[in-house]
Amino acid sequence: MKSFRIYYSRGLRVKIDDITILLDPKSSTASRADLVLVTHAHQDHAGGYIFSSLRSLVVSSKITKSIVEKITRRRALNVKTIQENKQIDFGKFSVYALNAGHVMGSLQYIIEFPDLTLCYTGDINLVDTITEKRASIPEGVDVLIIESTYGSEDFVFPPRSEIYSSILEWVEYQVNRGEIVVLGGYALGKGQELTALLKEILDKIAVSRKVFFYNRIFEKERFSLENYVPLESSEGRKLVQSGGVVVVPHLELRKHTPYTISRRLGLSKVPKVAVCTGWAAASSRFYAIKRAFNVDMLFPLSSHADVEQLLSFVDEVRPRLVYTVHGFSRRLAKLIRQRLGIKARRVFDARQQTLTRYVKNL
Ligand SMILES: [Zn+2]
C-alpha cells in the first residue's frame, strides 16, 4: 500500500492506492466508486443507494436492500447482499460484515487489504435491546472509522431497563387518566422497539403508516408483534377515541404543538406527547430540548451508543488510528486521544448538526 486517504466527496470515501470505496452515500452521486458499502436503511446513510447501484457495485444486507427498494419503489441494479459474519472477496481486498445493533439489517464492515485492515461502524448500538442484539466487536483493525453522534460527555444513557420502565410508567399513568398518548421515535428502529415494549402493558396500540410499514418487515425478519393496528384503520381510530397509544415517527411531530398534532392525526382531543431521542440524555439542556420539541415528555431511548460506550468500544478494538464521523466528531476524537492514548481525528462533515443547530432547526 502506497497511499491512504479518507475524505468527503458526495459521501464518505476511502481511497487506498487506486481503489475508491464509498461509504453510505447520502444522496444521488454522479461519480462512481470501485465499491459502495451501505450500513443500514436510514435515509442519511442509504439516500444514494439506488443511484449508486446504477454506476457501481453496492454491498448491503438483504433487509437494507429490500427496505430501500420498497421505499423508493425502484430496483437496485448492481448489488451483492452480505450476511453477518460472512465475507466477500474482491481480489485486491475483502469485505467482512458484522452486526451493528442499530436497526434491523444494520451492519459494520471490515475492509481487509493485504497490509491494512479498516473497519467502518456506520451507526452502532452497544447494548442489547428488546429488538436488537448489541454490535459485535471487530478484531485486528488498524484504522477504525466510528460514528460520533453522541460523542460528548453530555450524553450518558441510563441502563436500557430503566428507560423502558420510565416509558411504561409514564404511558400507563396517562392512559389510566383517559389520555391519548402519542410516542415519537424514528420509524425504522425505535418504531419497532416501542411497539414491542408496549406489549408489556397494552394489548393493542395504533401506529402511523410509516411505523406500520417497518413493523410488518420486522415481523417477517425477526419475531411477531401482533399488537398494533394502523391509525388510519377504523380499529385504530376507535382505539384512540377514548384514550390509547399511537406510535409515530418523531420527525412528523416537528414544529407541531400537541393541539396541531391532534388535528393532524385526527384525534378526538389534545394528546400527551413524548419523544424518544438520545438528545434527552443531555441533562443540562433537558428542559431547553423539551421546550424545543414542544412535548410533554422526553425519554433518552436511542439506537446509538452513548459516549462511554463509544470509548469502551474503541478501547476494546484498539486500532492504530481512529477517524470520527457525524455529530460530536471533534469532541470524541479528543476524548479518544486523551483517555485512551490512541491517535484520533475527525473527518469533517459540513452537514453535521451540533446540538444548538439541531434544536434551532426543530
Ligand atoms: Zn441510523
Side-chain angles (χ1 to χ4, degrees), residues 32-86:
R32 63 173 301 282
D34 295 292
L35 182 68
V36 178
L37 297 175
V38 178
T39 58
H40 64 288
H42 279 152
Q43 174 69 18
D44 56 342
H45 290 255
Y49 193 119
I50 296 289
F51 194 84
S52 295
S53 78
L54 301 175
R55 294 175 171 251
S56 311
L57 176 65
V58 175
V59 167
S60 80
S61 68
K62 209 170 152 191
I63 303 180
T64 298
K65 174 177 181 270
S66 140
I67 292 173
V68 169
E69 288 185 330
K70 281 186 177 129
I71 287 175
T72 58
R73 294 191 183 143
R74 290 180 67 186
R75 294 259 333 247
L77 288 182
N78 197 8
V79 177
K80 251 193 169 115
T81 58
I82 189 168
Q83 284 176 294
E84 262 173 59
N85 306 321
K86 295 281 182 222

Side-chain angles (χ1 to χ4, degrees), residues 133-195:
K133 200 169 163 326
R134 59 164 287 171
S136 309
I137 309 291
E139 286 173 16
V141 173
D142 300 306
V143 178
L144 176 68
I145 305 162
I146 189 169
E147 67 125 329
S148 43
T149 307
Y150 294 117
S152 149
E153 297 97 318
D154 275 346
F155 300 99
V156 178
F157 303 150
R160 205 68 166 192
S161 55
E162 258 177 47
I163 306 171
Y164 286 160
S165 303
S166 51
I167 294 173
L168 291 176
E169 275 166 28
W170 185 80
V171 170
E172 208 161 32
Y173 173 76
Q174 301 299 348
V175 169
N176 287 342
R177 295 174 65 205
E179 303 285 0
I180 298 172
V181 172
V182 174
L183 276 180
Y186 274 109
L188 168 59
K190 270 179 265 182
Q192 296 69 65
E193 193 175 2
L194 288 171
T195 305

